[in-house]
Amino acid sequence: MQIRVLGCHGSQTPGCNTTSFLLNGNTLVDAGTITSLLTIEEQLKINHVLITHAHLDHVRDIMFLADNICYLQKERPLVIVATQTIIDTLKTHLFNNVVWPDFSLLPDPKNPVLKFKTIKPGEKITLDSMEVTAVLVNHIVETVSYAIESKEGSIVIIGDTGPTEEVWNVANSLHNLKAVFVETSLPNSMEDIAQMTGHLTASGLAEELKKLNTHNPQIYLYHMKLHYRESIQREIAVIKDRNIRILQDGEVIHI
Ligand SMILES: [Zn+2]
Ligand SMILES: [Zn+2]
């Protein structure tokens, strides 16, 4: 499995893009950064977009991607995969013919460029060569993480969340878990804001990792807010028994 990091930040500044992971060139997890980075040819290869939650830093570029593929007359529709609550939010607040056109009816209601596919929390679905399970986490709006199993191994992508439980049980049950991508948005000094906004600090991350039974997987941290990367880097140094690294925009990971 190839994981291309299009964006891995919780804020947008020059050189820092909001969250999107491109898997095997055709499946996205979150949609914070797509059209400003990928060529038209790369955009046309995307078939599925798994959404963790409806916050703008995770969905913004679906709107521009849908617009592009509508006018390029892509043959296969783009399928947005999310829970029903998240899909309802996207339909009500983004693709509502006010903020942006409803591309699930364009260019032709019988053959639209955008389709929505509901995934229930706990349900496993097959997308191309991957099996995907959505697991609820603990953010300020309904949010899921994704456990993704492939023949090369498994990964878990835990987007925005505060302290949570079930996804660690799922991670512990996966065969050949290779990597866990988990948010660490804020430094320890901002614990109060982290609690109010449903995010993890470095010490919150340390507590979460105690719930993971295996020490083998590579732990990739992401979704840092603004310029806190260096303080978070210092604060995670106290976690000695894990392979932890902070992700960079643009890197490509193979498992
Ligand atoms: Zn976010
Ligand atoms: Zn969020």
Side-chain angles (χ1 to χ4, degrees):
M1 191 192 309
Q2 184 197 71
I3 302 146
R4 181 174 166 192
V5 181
L6 305 182
C8 61
H9 289 83
S11 306
Q12 189 181 44
T13 56
C16 295
N17 295 323
T18 50
T19 304
S20 284
F21 299 111
L22 181 60
L23 311 184
N24 296 330
N26 60 19
T27 301
L28 280 165
V29 177
D30 277 338
T33 303
I34 310 170
T35 47
S36 59
L37 210 64
L38 297 182
T39 64
I40 290 293
E41 291 71 28
E42 289 169 331
Q43 292 176 36
L44 286 171
K45 287 181 186 157
I46 299 168
N47 296 323
H48 297 100
V49 187
L50 299 159
I51 297 294
T52 61
H53 66 303
H55 278 163
L56 206 54
D57 55 321
H58 299 257
V59 302
R60 181 190 56 182
D61 270 10
I62 302 174
M63 292 185 283
F64 302 115
L65 182 61
D67 187 63
N68 286 353
I69 63 179
C70 181
Y71 296 107
L72 289 165
Q73 301 183 314
K74 183 176 189 279
E75 281 178 20
R76 275 178 76 175
L78 179 71
V79 181
I80 307 298
V81 181
T83 66
Q84 192 60 54
T85 300
I86 297 168
I87 289 172
D88 289 346
T89 302
L90 297 179
K91 287 180 172 175
T92 304
H93 297 288
L94 295 180
F95 295 102
N96 58 7
N97 288 321
V98 179
V99 171
W100 205 238
D102 181 357
F103 281 100
S104 67
L105 301 174
L106 293 169
D108 164 8
K110 290 196 189 109
N111 198 17
V113 290
L114 194 67
K115 288 190 173 174
F116 293 97
K117 178 178 172 63
T118 301
I119 186 169
K120 294 187 181 127
E123 179 187 15
K124 185 181 287 187
I125 61 170
T126 302
L127 295 181
D128 298 322
S129 60
M130 301 181 293
E131 292 192 320
V132 176
T133 307
V135 186
L136 286 169
V137 290
N138 181 26
H139 194 36
I140 49 172
V141 293
E142 179 163 300
T143 301
V144 290
S145 50
Y146 288 103
I148 299 170
E149 298 166 83
S150 73
K151 63 180 189 320
E152 299 94 358
S154 305
I155 63 170
V156 180
I157 298 181
I158 306 171
D160 295 16
T161 191
T164 190
E165 297 295 331
E166 180 60 18
V167 68
W168 298 111
N169 298 333
V170 171
N172 289 331
S173 73
L174 290 173
H175 174 67
N176 197 13
L177 179 63
K178 292 278 185 69
V180 176
F181 297 75
V182 56
E183 80 127 280
T184 307
S185 295
L186 293 163
N188 292 337
S189 60
M190 303 187 87
E191 180 61 39
D192 287 356
I193 297 176
Q195 281 186 22
M196 281 166 57
T197 55
H199 289 300
L200 292 174
T201 60
S203 61
L205 170 79
E207 290 305 306
E208 291 305 292
L209 290 178
K210 290 176 185 169
K211 302 169 189 170
L212 182 63
N213 292 340
T214 165
H215 289 235
N216 295 331
Q218 177 71 47
I219 312 291
Y220 294 106
L221 308 185
Y222 73 105
H223 203 271
M224 274 84 208
K225 291 281 185 186
L226 292 171
H227 54 281
Y228 298 122
R229 182 189 180 91
E230 285 177 11
S231 13
I232 291 169
Q233 180 80 59
R234 276 195 304 276
E235 291 169 356
I236 60 166
V238 300
I239 309 171
K240 298 289 184 198
D241 56 346
R242 303 281 179 180
N243 306 314
I244 303 182
R245 187 159 72 68
I246 297 178
L247 275 181
Q248 300 266 23
D249 285 5
E251 71 175 287
V252 178
I253 294 162
H254 295 269
I255 69 153

